[in-house]
Amino acid sequence: MSGPTVSVRGVARSFGSGAGAVHALRDVSFDIAAGTLVALVGRSGSGKTTLLTVVGGLDRPDRGTVRVAGADVTSLDDDGLSDLRRGTVSYVFQTFGLIPVLSAAENVGVPLRLARTAVPERQRRVAVLLDLVGLGGHADQRPGELSGGQQQRVAIARALAASPRVLIADEPTGQLDAETGLAIMALLRGVVEAEGVTALVATHDPVMIALADRVLRISDGVVVEDPTVDERDPAPGEPAGTC
Amino acid sequence: MLRLVAPRAVAHGRLLAAVLALVTTGVTQLGLAALLLGSSAQQAFDVATARATAEQVDTTAFVAAVPGAVSASVVRDTRRVLVGVMSPLVVTTTASASSAPRRFPAAAGTGPRVGYLGATEGLDRRARFVAGRAPRPGATIPETALPQTAATALGLAPGRTVRLEGEIANGTRLPPVTLRVVGVFRPLAGGWDRDLLGGAGTATDFHASVQLNAVPAYGPFLLDLADLVATGSTLDRFQVTAHPDLSKPSGPALDAVLSRLGSANALITAELHQRVSVERIESPLPTTLAVARTQATVTRAAVLVVVLLGIALTATALALAARLVAALRGDETALLASLGSSRPQLLAGSAAEAAALAAVSALLAVPLAGLAHAALTHLPAVRGAGLATGPSVTAAAVVAIVVGAVLLTGLLVVPALRPEHGVGATTRGRVGLLVRSGGDVLVVGLAAVGLWQLRVQPPASSGVDVVRAVAPVLCLVAGSLLALRLLPPVLAVGDRLARRSRTLVLPLATFEAARRPQAAAAALLVVLGTAAGTFGVALLDTWNTSQHDQADLRAGTDLRLALASPGEPGQGAAVTAATGGTVSPATRRNVLVGQWLGDAGQPPQLVAVDLRRADAVLRGRLPGGQRWGDVGARLAPTDRVAGLPFAAIGTSGTSGTGGTGGTGPALTVTGGVTGGTALLAAVHLVVQEPSGARFTLDATPVPLDGARHPLQLRARPAQATEVVAVEIQLSADPSGVPPESADAGGKVTVDIGLPGTGTSSGTGLGTGTGTTGAKWSAASVGLDPTGLGAPTVRLEAAPGGTLVRTSGVVTLVHLYEHPAQLLATAFTLPETIPVAVSRRLADATGTRVDTDLPLTVGTAHLVGHVVEVLPDVPSVPAGAAVLADVDLVSRALVGTGDLTPVGGAWWVGGPTVPDAEARLRALALGTLVSRAGTATELTAGPLRAVFPVALAALVPLALLLVLAGAALNVTADLEARRLELAQLRAVGLRRSHVRRGVLVQHATVSGLLVLAGAVVGWVAARLLGPLLTRSESGGEAVPDVRPLWPWATESLLVGAFLAGCAVVAAAVAARRARRADATQLRLGAS
């Protein structure tokens, strides 16, 4: 069996200094195997977003190491991190993160333009992805003309356009109603199973938690427990007791 | 709500500081404008008035035919009336007078002669004494001084006495007067135009009375005015000139004088009409002040254009800042509204903040305006115009600042009045779009009306010319608005191209530029700022060039000297030595064209100069790249007149007393007539000196009795010249016996001996020693050419000179009524002379090319053949004028029997001597007009200097405001997109990609806007430049204005705008790119 896709060891991150310092992460360590959907659960302010940005290379920890798909994220420079996000890690934001002046198809095509994909191939892949997320008929519409759920689908399609190995989603259903959120979560679940993507999703949504292969609970910057470890069978290839 | 104003202001301190800077800039401009248009304009008027020349302000009372019995009271009362008219101005007065002619006592060997008395106060300023001094009053024998030419002719010198008999005219029987000569003088420039002999001192053919023949005249014999009055002489002419002191004029004083001048003639008539026959007061002061006021109005309107442009730019920048502030506070405002704040409360908060900004900006602007004004007036051009002043402010400036601060800061409140003011610029309702479109249409319409009014409406002569001030600003704003309409289609083309690209950064920048609605105020600011800057540079160049063109045409040459008295031999050499330039004799005088006298007060002018050297002498722009040499080639003679060498005074063998067998033919006349009638011959020599000028040397008449008589010339040139014509006026000797038969004829022979040897001077004059090969011709000229027939001339070489042998057949009886004139010339008399006419003259008379034009010059009739129609003749801008070669005009006039020298002026082109103007002025020969001085007055005179400086100051202001607006706009745009930029980084864009994308986006848009602004500026310069560039009188400039576009300067300026916008975008993008990180994501997600 290959090693974990994501490996976090002894990561700490603080903001501010002195007595007023906020310790967003304290000595966090965990591994995530490939092709799993991991839910990151915690209250607001527990450090979920900070952990996601550290894993995705958008932020640097004060201590510790992060390895993603074999790359030591914490040792990469700024351009190296940008390259990591271009090809290996993709993000889905709570606020969708779509560029308002681009159409749905153009938004999905952003990673492909970054990769300088030939125009015909780019157009083909965009069409496939939009169909995958059920928005084939909305290619020319701009984000302002789409519903929240449709925008999030476009964001997921964009995240998949670069064929990432790791998909990081920060509260992807936070601004959606329950029914739409369920559809998004099902989509994410389907993508993980179909594409073999490793997904790390920060969520409050119990449905998402239920759909996850793994659950990491974070409180005050510490991954304190994984209550699903005892209750669920380990994922294929995953040793028992792995968080 | 009000309690939130202060903390909110602190939180947005940097933005509000930028807003404060903008407001302060705007109101400082208003204060500066108030100072420029108020105190500086008044100062300019005062300085211009103080610098006015005597010719422009001196006021003169003229009186004629003053009987001797009342002359004392008339002198006193005239002076009193004049001083009263000019009060409360402080004036000094100078008087001058000429008496009626008096006879000289009869003397053997001389015919009848007349002289006249005169008086001139301030003689030391009008004459230079060559011997003795000015006369003083109260001597037992009245003291007198007389002109050098008269003294030489009469053989008078200080210490001699002279007696004049009673007056000839008026039937008076005055006793003779004996005078003691105490001084001999040479008249200087000015003040002698009303002298009976024009300051010449002598005249050979003076008509002292209609009943008498023309006789030689001499004078004036100047006495002290009191002595002249005491002689009881009739004062033919008397004048008093008041010289007002305008060094510290006040408006009310000038207005009072102008009011009295309007009724001055009535005043003096009431005072003097029972004692004299002619009285009037003339003053150029009303015209001078009117011209000055018009100039001030023209300049004020032009400065106002610059000020309004600056205000428009500042207001646009402020509107942009207001929208940005509103956008920045959009969420805050929405929160307050949701918490229960009403719109009046929100408005009150905005108004309170605006009021605070207004107060602070006004407090700052008051001293800043004063300092800026002082700095502006100390710039070299303005300081040289006498307008330098220390820092100060006026009440008007303070009011302008306060009102401006309130109005400008009111713009900050406007966004708060709109219900969606909290929403960014990405949305605009349909109503808003319609309002904007309607506003654009309105502005374009007003601009079109303004442009039409600029074309058809003459400039206001006083007050503020609102049309001339507002129309240009409207045109630039309208052009900018139209240019903005063209931007979206251009960006759409880029959008289509970007879709086909496979990269991200540049296409994304293009998408952002093309699809994100541009902040209208920001875009307008860039376009309008660039348009204003480029328009300002072009207008400055156009205006400067036009002023120089006007100066060139007005002067006509580099140095134009109008002689105060008739030219004298040797002047050409003196002018050449003083200037080192190309010196041409010239004339500029009234002429009658057919029967056309010209417009009222503007008779047609004859301008004659040496057109062989037209390129070197003439100035003034010609159309189509034509050169004056091309024009001159069509008008100048193809041959040069080669005369007979004529020795100067003191040359060996030229004693002038007649050789009696000594060294050969000196100046002699030998003649005879058949038929037994005694005739007199008066010989006139036309001599030509190396400068090309011709003078007439008159000799006293001699009897044609077969004996050799000395040719006694009244003056001899001091340098070698050439004799180019000889005229012999034959008249019957009154003491002789008339012939019995009315048809009796007689053959007359007159031989004239001329001393002179040597070769040609190198200017084409003369052909050598004692030439007999020179082609001379003879003709009968004058009022009655039929009085002399078969004229001949033959030249014979003689030792030391040439003998000019002439002959003709006269009808003897006729000579008792009209003298016969035999003219022998070294040139062929032209039947027509080629001329060029001005467009004004051609249009007024229907003259066309290749037609003959009858001209009357003095009393002589010439025929010109029109070879060209010029836009204008040099020195006669927009006037009716004829241009001809001075040599040909002289030949033509001589051919009519008019030997009056054609000169009267010297035109100098290309002076090489340093301070040539000062050196020429020091010769005190006449009134000097310099092209450089005229250009300086038109560009940097007190009434003009502020405009070019204000125009130049507009450029850096426009650049500064555009860059400030660009910085605000880019900052606001990136602030609104901060989360988007962070998300783009999350997608995989590097910081350099983010920076590059932002830079390309904003640089592309601003680049297109700058180029559009440059196009608007170019169009405005072409349309408005000629309309805003006027003559100093406010009329159309002559020659017409050429709109210029200085490509090098404009390219640098546009480059500065482009580079500046790019640098601003790059700097802001670099800072924002650094902040596009996880912090933004965290803040955006939470």
Side-chain angles (χ1 to χ4, degrees):
Chain A
M1 185 197 75
S2 61
T5 302
V6 177
S7 177
V8 177
R9 290 290 179 270
V11 164
R13 180 74 168 100
S14 300
F15 298 99
S17 62
V22 175
H23 302 287
L25 297 175
R26 305 169 195 258
D27 196 22
V28 172
S29 299
F30 61 88
D31 293 326
I32 300 177
T36 55
L37 175 62
V38 176
L40 181 62
V41 180
R43 296 193 314 273
S44 293
S46 60
K48 297 191 302 297
T49 298
T50 304
L51 180 58
L52 291 181
T53 56
V54 168
V55 171
L58 284 173
D59 197 6
R60 290 187 184 277
D62 299 328
R63 284 197 317 276
T65 60
V66 176
R67 296 188 74 87
V68 175
D72 184 354
V73 174
T74 48
S75 66
L76 293 175
D77 61 7
D78 191 72
D79 287 347
L81 290 173
S82 297
D83 294 341
L84 177 78
R85 293 191 297 273
R86 189 181 303 174
T88 305
V89 179
S90 286
Y91 262 91
V92 177
F93 300 99
Q94 181 180 4
T95 55
F96 319 133
L98 299 181
I99 299 173
V101 299
L102 301 182
S103 66
E106 288 168 342
N107 266 289
V108 173
V110 166
L112 298 171
R113 283 179 178 266
L114 273 173
R116 294 177 177 258
T117 306
V119 175
E121 174 59 20
R122 183 183 78 216
Q123 290 173 339
R124 186 196 65 78
R125 181 117 173 97
V126 165
V128 167
L129 288 168
L130 284 176
D131 285 338
L132 178 65
V133 300
L135 292 176
H138 299 272
D140 294 330
Q141 286 180 290
R142 294 199 186 173
E145 299 167 339
L146 300 172
S147 68
Q150 289 172 325
Q151 290 186 54
Q152 196 62 287
R153 289 169 187 263
V154 174
I156 292 171
R158 183 181 69 183
L160 295 175
S163 302
R165 294 187 60 180
V166 178
L167 180 68
I168 297 178
D170 191 355
E171 302 274 2
T173 60
Q175 298 201 4
L176 305 176
D177 58 86
E179 184 179 345
T180 308
L182 177 63
I184 293 299
M185 298 313 295
L187 177 61
L188 281 174
R189 178 78 240 183
V191 164
V192 167
E193 289 177 356
E195 304 284 333
V197 173
T198 302
L200 178 58
V201 182
T203 182
H204 290 122
D205 193 333
V207 174
M208 187 71 248
I209 295 171
L211 289 175
D213 297 316
R214 306 280 302 278
V215 177
L216 292 177
R217 186 171 297 279
I218 183 170
S219 175
D220 291 333
V222 177
V223 175
V224 295
E225 70 183 51
D226 181 7
T228 63
V229 172
D230 295 331
E231 297 168 12
R232 295 174 66 253
D233 292 332
E238 179 185 330
T242 303
C243 293
Chain B
M1 183 65 219
L2 294 177
R3 284 198 293 270
L4 291 175
V5 171
R8 185 174 67 176
V10 171
H12 296 151
R14 290 169 69 176
L15 179 59
L16 290 182
V19 172
L20 178 64
L22 283 173
V23 177
T24 306
T25 301
V27 294
T28 301
Q29 287 181 71
L30 283 173
L32 178 61
L35 291 170
L36 286 176
L37 297 172
S39 61
S40 283
Q42 184 58 49
Q43 184 181 3
F45 183 82
D46 293 345
V47 171
T49 306
R51 289 185 181 184
T53 61
E55 288 80 12
Q56 292 173 309
V57 300
D58 283 353
T59 301
T60 304
F62 299 94
V63 185
V66 183
V70 298
S71 59
S73 64
V74 167
V75 167
R76 179 192 65 236
D77 294 340
T78 302
R79 202 187 298 262
R80 176 175 54 76
V81 168
L82 185 61
V83 171
V85 165
M86 298 298 288
S87 70
L89 293 178
V90 175
V91 300
T92 56
T93 60
T94 52
S96 63
S98 293
S99 75
R102 290 171 175 258
R103 297 176 196 277
F104 277 94
T110 62
R113 302 172 300 169
V114 298
Y116 61 100
L117 308 179
T120 299
E121 294 179 339
L123 183 58
D124 54 335
R125 293 190 297 276
R126 296 190 185 179
R128 186 173 295 161
F129 278 84
V130 298
R133 57 171 174 78
R136 294 177 191 143
T140 306
I141 300 177
E143 297 184 349
T144 187
L146 70 162
Q148 184 178 20
T149 51
T152 303
L154 296 172
L156 293 175
R160 300 280 298 272
T161 59
V162 60
R163 175 186 165 100
L164 290 170
E165 303 291 350
E167 292 179 355
I168 296 173
N170 304 324
T172 59
R173 295 288 183 264
L174 288 177
V177 59
T178 300
L179 308 171
R180 182 183 302 282
V181 177
V182 298
V184 176
F185 62 85
R186 188 165 68 82
L188 297 178
W192 298 96
D193 53 316
R194 290 186 57 78
D195 176 65
L196 283 179
L197 299 182
T202 65
T204 56
D205 303 313
F206 181 77
H207 287 274
S209 164
V210 293
Q211 289 88 12
L212 300 177
N213 292 334
V215 296
Y218 306 87
F221 290 84
L222 293 181
L223 287 71
D224 179 81
L225 183 58
D227 284 351
L228 175 62
V229 169
T231 63
S233 297
T234 301
L235 302 182
D236 264 4
R237 304 175 186 185
F238 172 70
Q239 67 187 60
V240 180
T241 300
H243 314 285
D245 178 6
L246 297 177
S247 58
K248 293 182 181 59
S250 75
L254 287 175
D255 291 340
V257 171
L258 289 179
S259 175
R260 281 202 206 87
L261 281 173
S263 58
N265 283 324
L267 285 172
I268 198 168
T269 298
E271 185 67 40
L272 302 178
H273 80 282
Q274 291 186 347
R275 288 175 276 173
V276 303
S277 60
V278 178
E279 67 287 329
R280 74 180 188 279
I281 291 180
E282 288 182 0
S283 177
L285 188 59
T287 302
T288 300
L289 294 178
V291 169
R293 288 203 170 105
T294 299
Q295 287 185 45
T297 300
V298 172
T299 300
R300 188 161 44 234
V303 172
L304 199 52
V305 170
V306 178
V307 169
L308 289 179
L309 271 176
I311 297 298
L313 284 173
T314 307
T316 306
L318 204 53
L320 169 64
R323 290 179 69 90
L324 295 177
V325 169
L328 184 69
R329 294 171 174 173
D331 294 341
E332 167 198 318
T333 305
L335 176 64
L336 289 172
S338 69
L339 290 175
S341 293
S342 64
R343 190 192 273 196
Q345 285 177 310
L346 294 172
L347 281 174
S350 294
E353 189 175 69
L357 283 171
V360 174
S361 65
L363 282 173
L364 292 173
V366 169
L368 282 176
L371 289 171
H373 180 246
L376 200 70
T377 62
H378 277 84
L379 291 173
V382 185
R383 188 176 61 234
L387 302 182
T389 183
S392 64
V393 288
T394 61
V398 173
V399 169
I401 287 171
V402 171
V403 172
V406 171
L407 291 176
L408 285 176
T409 51
L411 290 173
L412 298 175
V413 182
V414 169
L417 296 172
R418 291 175 17 203
E420 72 282 6
H421 74 274
V423 181
T426 56
T427 64
R428 171 173 289 136
R430 180 169 297 180
V431 174
L433 284 169
L434 278 176
V435 168
R436 185 191 157 188
S437 296
D440 290 0
V441 171
L442 180 63
V443 172
V444 171
L446 288 174
V449 171
L451 185 61
W452 169 62
Q453 284 292 297
L454 276 177
R455 287 182 184 277
V456 302
Q457 183 177 327
S461 59
S462 63
V464 176
D465 195 333
V466 175
V467 170
R468 204 155 289 276
V470 174
V473 180
L474 279 175
C475 290
L476 279 167
V477 172
S480 301
L481 290 173
L482 289 175
L484 286 179
R485 294 283 178 176
L486 299 177
L487 183 64
V490 173
L491 291 175
V493 171
D495 186 293
R496 282 196 293 277
L497 292 173
R499 289 182 204 180
R500 297 191 213 121
S501 168
R502 64 179 198 167
T503 60
L504 176 65
V505 175
L506 297 184
L508 181 60
T510 307
F511 292 143
E512 293 280 356
R515 301 176 185 181
R516 184 179 291 273
Q518 304 302 324
L524 180 61
L525 178 61
V526 175
V527 178
L528 184 59
T530 310
T534 53
F535 171 70
V537 168
L539 181 59
L540 184 60
D541 200 29
T542 298
W543 184 86
N544 255 324
T545 302
S546 176
Q547 305 312 307
H548 282 87
D549 285 347
Q550 292 179 55
D552 288 355
L553 188 60
R554 185 183 302 185
T557 184
D558 289 324
L559 294 170
R560 174 160 59 88
L561 178 64
L563 298 174
S565 52
E568 297 172 359
Q571 266 187 3
V575 172
T576 303
T579 62
T582 303
V583 177
S584 166
T587 192
R588 184 169 171 271
R589 56 183 295 177
N590 297 346
V591 68
L592 192 63
V593 179
Q595 300 298 317
W596 189 58
L597 294 170
D599 301 320
Q602 294 180 325
Q605 298 291 299
L606 170 65
V607 176
V609 297
D610 181 358
L611 291 177
R612 288 193 195 92
R613 299 177 291 172
D615 262 344
V617 174
L618 294 182
R619 300 290 179 261
R621 198 181 79 219
L622 284 169
Q626 201 178 6
R627 292 169 37 249
W628 282 112
D630 302 329
V631 176
R634 291 190 283 275
L635 300 178
T638 55
D639 62 328
R640 290 179 177 271
V641 176
L644 301 173
F646 187 54
I649 296 174
T651 306
S652 170
T654 61
S655 63
T657 58
T660 53
T663 59
L667 280 166
T668 60
V669 177
T670 310
V673 58
T674 61
T677 301
L679 297 183
L680 296 174
V683 175
H684 308 279
L685 302 180
V686 179
V687 298
Q688 174 179 285
E689 55 177 33
S691 66
R694 293 178 184 146
F695 303 94
T696 302
L697 306 179
D698 303 323
T700 53
V702 298
L704 297 180
D705 55 6
R708 179 188 292 180
H709 297 275
L711 186 64
Q712 294 186 333
L713 298 175
R714 302 189 199 284
R716 283 287 299 275
Q719 62 181 93
T721 55
E722 296 181 345
V723 175
V724 297
V726 175
E727 188 200 63
I728 304 164
Q729 190 170 321
L730 300 167
S731 59
D733 189 342
S735 62
V737 177
E740 293 178 358
S741 168
D743 296 327
K747 181 172 181 184
V748 176
T749 59
V750 180
D751 296 339
I752 301 166
L754 299 175
T757 57
T759 57
S760 166
S761 64
T763 60
L765 301 176
T767 57
T769 303
T771 175
T772 57
K775 276 187 162 181
W776 280 61
S777 57
S780 175
V781 297
L783 287 174
D784 185 13
T786 59
L788 182 143
T792 66
V793 60
R794 189 162 51 88
L795 304 180
E796 286 184 6
T802 307
L803 200 60
V804 179
R805 310 197 75 161
T806 64
S807 69
V809 177
V810 296
T811 304
L812 296 172
V813 166
H814 288 179
L815 296 184
Y816 284 88
E817 297 175 6
H818 300 291
Q821 291 170 258
L822 190 156
L823 178 69
T825 60
F827 48 84
T828 306
L829 301 180
E831 292 184 7
T832 65
I833 56 175
V835 298
V837 299
S838 68
R839 172 64 56 194
R840 173 75 188 91
L841 187 147
D843 290 343
T845 60
T847 301
R848 296 187 303 277
V849 172
D850 205 26
T851 59
D852 286 345
L853 189 70
L855 302 170
T856 304
V857 182
T859 57
H861 301 288
L862 309 180
V863 179
H865 186 74
V866 181
V867 299
E868 185 157 359
V869 176
L870 301 171
D872 297 281
V873 169
S875 79
V876 192
V882 178
L883 178 67
D885 181 78
V886 67
D887 178 8
L888 287 177
V889 171
S890 170
R891 297 188 205 182
L893 286 175
V894 167
T896 67
D898 184 350
L899 302 187
T900 308
V902 177
W906 294 99
W907 286 29
V908 182
T912 58
V913 173
D915 295 332
E917 181 179 343
R919 293 162 68 101
L920 188 56
R921 207 179 289 277
L923 294 179
L925 296 176
T927 306
L928 182 63
V929 172
S930 84
R931 184 170 67 100
T934 304
T936 300
E937 185 61 31
L938 291 179
T939 57
L943 293 168
R944 317 279 269 179
V946 170
F947 172 63
V949 171
L951 202 53
L954 177 65
V955 177
L957 175 69
L959 184 61
L960 188 66
L961 288 174
V962 165
L963 294 184
L968 284 173
N969 187 49
V970 174
T971 302
D973 179 61
L974 296 187
E975 178 66 25
R977 292 174 59 199
R978 64 184 186 283
L979 184 59
E980 177 187 323
L981 295 178
Q983 288 167 346
L984 282 172
R985 293 270 291 128
V987 170
L989 254 69
R990 297 181 177 184
R991 285 192 209 279
S992 60
H993 295 156
V994 173
R995 281 198 304 270
R996 185 149 42 107
V998 170
L999 175 62
V1000 168
Q1001 175 196 346
H1002 285 279
T1004 300
V1005 174
S1006 59
L1008 290 172
L1009 293 172
V1010 165
L1011 292 175
V1015 172
V1016 173
W1018 178 81
V1019 173
R1022 291 200 70 83
L1023 288 178
L1024 298 174
L1027 298 175
L1028 295 178
T1029 303
R1030 315 298 292 183
S1031 71
E1032 59 177 349
S1033 63
E1036 283 193 27
V1038 179
D1040 58 307
V1041 179
R1042 282 180 310 171
L1044 298 178
W1045 185 259
W1047 283 99
T1049 309
E1050 297 285 15
S1051 298
L1052 281 175
L1053 181 62
V1054 171
F1057 276 105
L1058 288 172
C1061 289
V1063 167
V1064 163
V1068 176
R1071 206 175 58 168
R1072 283 293 167 180
R1074 277 197 298 275
R1075 294 187 188 176
D1077 57 15
T1079 305
Q1080 295 297 332
L1081 291 173
R1082 192 167 40 249
L1083 292 174
S1086 63

